[in-house]
Amino acid sequence: MTAITSSLRDITFEQQLAQRQRRGKILEIAALIAILLGIAMLLTLLVDVVIDGLPWLRPQLFTEFPSRFPEKSGLRSAIQGSIWLMVFTSIMVIPIGVGAGIYLEEFAPRNRLTEFIEINIANLAGVPSIIYGLLGLGLFVRGLGLGRSLIAGALTMTLLVLPIIIVTTREAIRAVPRSIRLAALALGASQWETARDHVLVYSMPAILTGVILAMSRAIGETAPLITIGALTYIAFDLRGPLDIFTVLPIQIFNWVSLPQKGFHDLAAAGIIVLLVLLLSMNALAIWLRNRLFIRW
Amino acid sequence: MLRKTFAQELQQLKDAIVELGEIVQKMIMQSVTALRNRDIQSSKEILELDKEVNKRRYEIENQVLVLIATQQPMAYDLRLLASILEIAGELERMGDYAKGIAHINIRMGDTPLVKPLIDIPRMAEKSCDMLSRALQAFLHEDEQAAKAIPREDDEVDALYLQVYRELMTFLIQDPTTIERANWLLWAAHNLERVADRVTNICERTIYVVNGVLREIDSSDDEFRAL
Amino acid sequence: MNENSEYILETRNLNLYYGNFLAVADVNIKIRRHQITAIIGPSGCGKSTLLRAFNRMNELVPTARTEGEILFNNENIYDPSIDPVEVRRRIGMVFQKPNPFPKSIYENIAWGLRINGFRGSKSELDDLVEKALRDAALWDEVKDKLDQSGLSLSGGQQQRLCIARTIAVRPEVILMDEPASALDPIATLRIEELMQELKKNYTIIIVTHNMQQAARVSDYTAMMMLRNHEDRSGTVIEFDRTEVIFTNPRDKRTQDYVTGRFG
């Protein structure tokens, strides 16, 4: 005992506190520069877009169809297309995605097959969106003969966001403590009753958040829709799911590719609309998360 | 071993019991010697020793209660602490018997003994020997010894019977000796009770070791010897 | 089925596995009706595993496997014809950490009644909720805030809410897995006091790390320990009246454990 205590007393510490503090400070400044760079780029983009597009943010932008003349052009058909695309995609993807997530998390037996499916879903979430476009083209547009219709687009978008929804659903479900499941099961509830009345209810805010974020990704997607042939000049109201359609990012892309300066500014206005839409969806997701999440 | 400190405290209590027992033995032997030698001063010392015994007994009792309250003893520990409490009480009572003999000597004053003391010192020796060995058995948790010692109570009872008969003959021959004979009978009776209480100590020792709390069948009843 | 026999539960040659690991080996004990039985022993000796075997909660661990029988009113609950869901209604469970549902206090109790097929009127349901809360000694503290979240209560109150939720579905046995280990001493004593009330109507089996708690509350105590250090399987080494376990245990290992000289 005495030997140990005395040897402990002999150790001297070289604190070098000043040097350690300095090193920390340098890293802190480096990190700050990194974030400032990001913000600066975003601000430049926003300012540029706002300067060009602001004068064009007028009622006609929302009420007019596209036209050969910038002054007469609007986003009417693109907004309709985007909204309906989202609606149809949601109708299809939410039940399938949430259902799959619940099954995998709550009911699936833990075996090789389940593991295989799980890995593949994770991989699917990382597949480039153009691949989904090609799949949609082959399967829905040609295979099922749906043509370049809104429904073919919605189905393609469903494929695109399905893995995201499944993954976020599973994460949301996993956040519900196991003790809650045990509590329900110990009362004599079946697994289905436990999932329905507890797990799903408590994870719903997080699932909704995930769905909104997935949808905000869908609304900004261009590549797969161009692939299935949605690049269209549409000057009439959408008549049904089998109608041809266009969406906001495609319309913007279309305008940007035209030579006239007016269309370029119009595209900037379109970008503002798209950004506002995206930001408000994200804001809604954040609000949901802060308001409805259960603090265990 | 976990709870080293607690184990040490238990050991200290056991040692305290043995020490208390040694004082009590000294009191018993001294009380009888003082009576035989009619040494009043020596008897007065015993009254002081009794105060010491009482003090120590309360100290032990207090320590046991503190340990029960703070250590939540279980099983063996609990049995040991309960037994220490009981044995401390028994020793204190034995001290009281010695004090009783001292009082007899003091009250007799100048009155001579009715007869020279022979069997009463033997009773004291035997009882103290039993007590000493009972305390050793307790200290070392020797179940065999604790079961054997109470059987020797019969010897003390036999000596008591002898003293009783002898004093009866004195009474019959000369009724004027009644008070003096009675004093000696009283002293003998106290010694007989000491041996009985040794049996109780042995009972507790057995309880500490194997958890069985049962009365040992010895002549706890002083009249059985008659 | 004899509902009035002295023993409500009995294990026969019970072996509990996780995969190939024999966690609890060869347990043969009989649990007395309307008594509190404590399961004590060092960490990792399989106390909770044994407890969870009594209402088939073990099966929720995918690799868990059970050999032998547990007779509940003389019927083997591991019989293939028995649905674990029914077993769990009749043998309820209270957990270590209070786990009320993040619903209202009222709903916490009403839900169990509903899923178990309660089809009465709203006022009948109100009465049952009140009864359960009263029996769990919680009514007076929550009667004015039944619509507040169960999570808004204090830890001790939450645990009593969990007990109320459990007794609302009228089980015969309540399994308690260290029900007071997350609570302060006063809340702990309240739960212990409540257990003495509950034992009039229910049989309680409690796992506890706290030996004094086992000594205070239980009538019978099962001492669990690893059989040896090679296979690391836990088993019941001594099962007796609590007073015997804590004053004069037969097994040297029990003695060492209850006196704190273990290890």
Side-chain angles (χ1 to χ4, degrees):
Chain A
M1 273 300 268
T2 33
I4 294 172
T5 11
S6 64
S7 75
L8 276 180
R9 219 167 271 140
D10 291 341
I11 297 179
T12 52
F13 294 98
E14 284 185 53
Q15 287 279 351
Q16 297 171 310
L17 209 53
Q19 194 190 329
R20 281 155 64 194
Q21 297 279 24
R22 211 178 312 125
R23 222 177 283 160
K25 202 76 196 165
I26 290 167
L27 276 174
E28 199 182 310
I29 291 167
L32 184 66
I33 291 171
I35 183 77
L36 285 178
L37 267 176
I39 292 175
M41 277 195 258
L42 183 66
L43 276 180
T44 318
L45 181 76
L46 279 178
V47 168
D48 185 46
V49 164
V50 167
I51 289 171
D52 289 348
L54 209 53
W56 294 84
L57 273 180
R58 61 211 200 306
Q60 290 97 309
L61 185 69
F62 302 97
T63 54
E64 295 298 319
F65 291 112
S67 153
R68 285 188 293 134
F69 310 102
E71 306 78 38
K72 286 188 173 178
S73 284
L75 290 165
R76 181 169 175 154
S77 52
I79 290 173
Q80 281 177 1
S82 277
I83 290 173
W84 283 110
L85 186 74
M86 272 212 292
V87 168
F88 280 105
T89 306
S90 308
I91 289 170
M92 288 183 286
V93 80
I94 293 175
I96 299 173
V98 173
I102 293 170
Y103 175 78
L104 283 174
E105 215 37 56
E106 295 291 307
F107 298 99
R110 291 271 160 267
N111 57 27
R112 288 254 174 90
L113 180 67
T114 316
E115 226 169 86
F116 179 76
I117 292 172
E118 282 172 359
I119 290 170
N120 278 291
I121 288 170
N123 287 339
L124 280 178
V127 169
S129 57
I130 187 96
I131 308 289
Y132 287 100
L134 290 170
L135 180 64
L137 181 67
L139 190 61
F140 305 124
V141 177
R142 293 182 187 153
L144 294 179
L146 294 173
R148 304 160 156 199
S149 63
L150 178 71
I151 194 76
L155 283 165
T156 308
M157 279 301 168
T158 298
L159 287 184
L160 178 72
V161 296
L162 187 60
I164 305 174
I165 304 260
I166 294 175
V167 169
T168 50
T169 300
R170 292 187 64 191
E171 267 161 24
I173 286 175
R174 233 175 286 158
V176 176
R178 188 174 149 75
S179 63
I180 292 294
R181 293 177 177 80
L182 294 179
L185 292 170
L187 283 173
S190 67
Q191 277 205 299
W192 163 238
E193 287 159 339
T194 305
R196 181 194 64 198
D197 291 353
H198 296 289
V199 178
L200 201 52
V201 173
Y202 309 145
S203 57
M204 200 42 89
I207 293 176
L208 273 179
T209 307
V211 167
I212 292 169
L213 291 178
M215 283 302 149
S216 72
R217 177 172 172 197
I219 206 174
E221 275 292 346
T222 327
L225 295 178
I226 292 176
T227 319
I228 65 163
L231 178 60
T232 343
Y233 175 86
I234 290 171
F236 49 82
D237 284 329
L238 200 66
R239 285 159 304 196
L242 288 171
D243 219 346
I244 52 171
F245 71 106
T246 189
V247 290
L248 278 171
I250 292 179
Q251 187 64 64
I252 292 163
F253 175 69
N254 188 10
W255 281 338
V256 171
S257 60
L258 294 175
Q260 294 95 321
K261 169 80 171 78
F263 279 118
H264 294 173
D265 295 343
L266 204 52
I271 289 170
I272 296 174
V273 172
L274 190 58
L275 274 177
V276 167
L277 200 61
L278 281 174
L279 289 177
S280 35
M281 284 176 79
N282 284 348
L284 179 66
I286 291 167
W287 180 83
L288 264 178
R289 188 161 57 207
N290 291 343
R291 277 301 300 276
L292 300 178
F293 270 39
I294 298 162
R295 267 165 261 285
W296 298 102
Chain B
M1 183 164 98
L2 286 171
R3 304 191 81 179
K4 213 168 159 184
T5 318
F6 180 49
Q8 277 169 2
E9 282 167 326
L10 291 180
Q11 188 57 47
Q12 280 164 9
L13 274 171
K14 285 170 89 175
D15 294 341
I17 283 287
V18 174
E19 273 176 41
L20 180 61
E22 279 161 3
I23 298 173
V24 170
Q25 286 172 57
K26 181 170 183 284
M27 281 172 73
I28 294 165
M29 290 311 293
Q30 190 175 333
S31 70
V32 172
T33 312
L35 181 64
R36 187 172 61 192
N37 301 339
R38 307 296 351 273
D39 181 347
I40 305 292
Q41 195 49 45
S42 177
S43 288
K44 283 183 177 160
E45 280 171 34
I46 288 169
L47 303 187
E48 289 308 307
L49 281 175
D50 186 61
K51 284 179 191 154
E52 170 72 13
V53 166
N54 289 352
K55 194 183 117 225
R56 284 187 184 227
R57 182 240 165 134
Y58 290 126
E59 275 171 11
I60 290 172
E61 199 170 327
N62 198 38
Q63 255 174 301
V64 168
L65 292 177
V66 167
L67 285 183
I68 289 175
T70 57
Q71 300 288 331
Q72 288 91 38
M74 293 288 185
Y76 164 83
D77 299 336
L78 184 60
R79 301 200 302 267
L80 178 63
L81 285 172
S83 299
I84 287 172
L85 216 49
E86 185 75 20
I87 293 171
E90 293 291 340
L91 291 173
E92 199 242 74
R93 295 294 301 152
M94 291 183 196
D96 288 344
Y97 291 136
K99 187 176 75 173
I101 296 172
H103 271 305
I104 289 168
N105 192 28
I106 293 165
R107 279 180 64 185
M108 279 171 77
D110 297 335
T111 326
L113 291 168
V114 70
K115 66 175 271 290
L117 297 188
I118 299 156
D119 289 329
I120 286 180
R122 275 202 213 150
M123 280 181 81
E125 265 166 41
K126 183 66 197 168
S127 304
C128 281
D129 178 47
M130 282 170 69
L131 172 58
S132 167
R133 282 182 292 122
L135 288 172
Q136 286 305 308
F138 167 74
L139 184 64
H140 300 115
E141 289 170 14
D142 183 346
E143 192 183 352
Q144 289 318 110
K147 280 179 173 163
I149 294 164
R151 285 187 217 122
E152 301 172 26
D153 185 40
D154 291 347
E155 294 176 36
V156 180
D157 288 345
L159 284 170
Y160 177 55
L161 189 60
Q162 207 164 309
V163 171
Y164 179 83
R165 285 190 181 137
E166 208 177 345
L167 289 171
M168 281 302 147
T169 46
F170 274 96
L171 279 172
I172 292 160
Q173 283 165 7
D174 179 5
T176 60
T177 61
I178 188 159
E179 194 178 12
R180 289 185 291 158
N182 209 24
W183 275 330
L184 292 188
L185 195 57
W186 193 356
H189 175 246
N190 274 5
L191 294 170
E192 194 274 338
R193 294 299 295 151
V194 167
D196 288 343
R197 288 184 184 273
V198 168
T199 302
N200 292 347
I201 293 176
C202 291
E203 271 172 17
R204 298 293 147 174
T205 301
I206 294 165
Y207 175 62
V208 171
V209 177
N210 66 17
V212 179
L213 193 55
R214 192 180 300 143
E215 188 170 15
I216 297 173
D217 186 27
S218 75
S219 54
D220 201 31
D221 176 5
E222 65 259 43
F223 299 108
R224 211 179 73 170
L226 304 177
Chain C
M1 285 239 303
N2 182 358
E3 299 273 334
N4 296 313
S5 72
E6 191 179 356
Y7 301 105
I8 189 165
L9 280 162
E10 178 183 352
T11 68
R12 286 194 180 160
N13 306 322
L14 190 68
N15 287 321
L16 304 170
Y17 292 86
Y18 291 118
N20 289 325
F21 170 55
L22 179 58
V24 173
D26 197 28
V27 173
N28 292 283
I29 55 173
K30 291 178 173 182
I31 306 294
R32 271 169 222 265
R33 200 178 293 275
H34 296 315
Q35 299 278 296
I36 299 175
T37 302
I39 303 176
I40 61 169
S43 297
C45 68
K47 302 185 294 291
S48 289
T49 300
L50 175 60
L51 189 75
R52 278 152 202 262
F54 283 117
N55 68 343
R56 296 185 63 170
M57 291 291 273
N58 269 1
E59 288 162 43
L60 301 173
V61 178
T63 57
R65 192 155 54 83
T66 308
E67 279 176 9
E69 295 182 339
I70 294 182
L71 303 184
F72 175 44
N73 292 321
N74 293 324
E75 191 177 16
N76 182 15
I77 60 167
Y78 281 92
D79 191 275
S81 67
I82 302 276
D83 186 339
V85 168
E86 175 60 13
V87 171
R88 290 177 201 142
R89 202 229 7 116
R90 297 177 66 193
I91 305 179
M93 189 156 199
V94 175
F95 298 84
Q96 180 170 2
K97 200 167 155 275
N99 55 354
F101 300 128
K103 296 175 184 278
S104 70
I105 292 167
Y106 184 94
E107 262 316 297
N108 258 281
I109 290 160
W111 187 75
L113 291 164
R114 279 200 218 100
I115 53 141
N116 281 297
F118 176 75
R119 294 282 175 271
S121 66
K122 174 82 170 76
S123 68
E124 280 176 289
L125 189 61
D126 290 350
D127 289 347
L128 287 174
V129 169
E130 178 176 341
K131 170 108 176 62
L133 286 169
R134 277 190 191 282
D135 288 351
L138 189 61
W139 175 251
D140 290 335
E141 291 158 67
V142 301
K143 62 183 174 202
D144 299 323
K145 49 177 182 179
L146 292 176
D147 54 340
Q148 283 183 22
S149 167
L151 292 175
S152 68
L153 298 174
S154 74
Q157 290 173 326
Q158 286 190 14
Q159 195 61 302
R160 277 178 284 146
L161 178 61
C162 293
I163 291 172
R165 174 177 74 184
T166 302
I167 58 182
V169 301
R170 306 286 161 89
E172 289 172 57
V173 181
I174 305 172
L175 308 175
M176 296 187 169
D177 192 354
E178 300 187 42
S181 66
L183 306 181
D184 68 54
I186 300 296
T188 299
L189 290 177
R190 253 191 215 158
I191 299 279
E192 290 176 3
E193 203 51 44
L194 176 59
M195 288 172 70
Q196 299 305 323
E197 284 299 312
L198 292 175
K199 99 181 196 189
K200 292 169 191 157
N201 296 310
Y202 308 93
T203 304
I204 297 174
I205 307 178
I206 176 176
V207 161
T208 176
H209 265 127
N210 182 334
M211 278 185 293
Q212 276 71 40
Q213 183 171 61
R216 281 195 298 267
V217 302
S218 69
D219 303 296
Y220 285 82
T221 297
M223 175 73 210
M224 287 189 76
M225 203 158 277
L226 298 185
R227 284 194 302 193
N228 53 57
H229 286 278
E230 283 80 55
D231 62 9
R232 303 200 62 78
S233 305
T235 192
V236 174
I237 59 164
E238 189 166 357
F239 183 48
D240 210 326
R241 291 194 61 83
T242 296
E243 60 202 47
V244 174
I245 295 285
F246 287 102
T247 60
N248 189 20
R250 299 280 150 241
D251 194 297
K252 175 77 169 62
R253 293 167 294 174
T254 310
Q255 163 105 309
D256 286 347
Y257 187 76
V258 299
T259 56
R261 285 176 179 76
F262 171 79

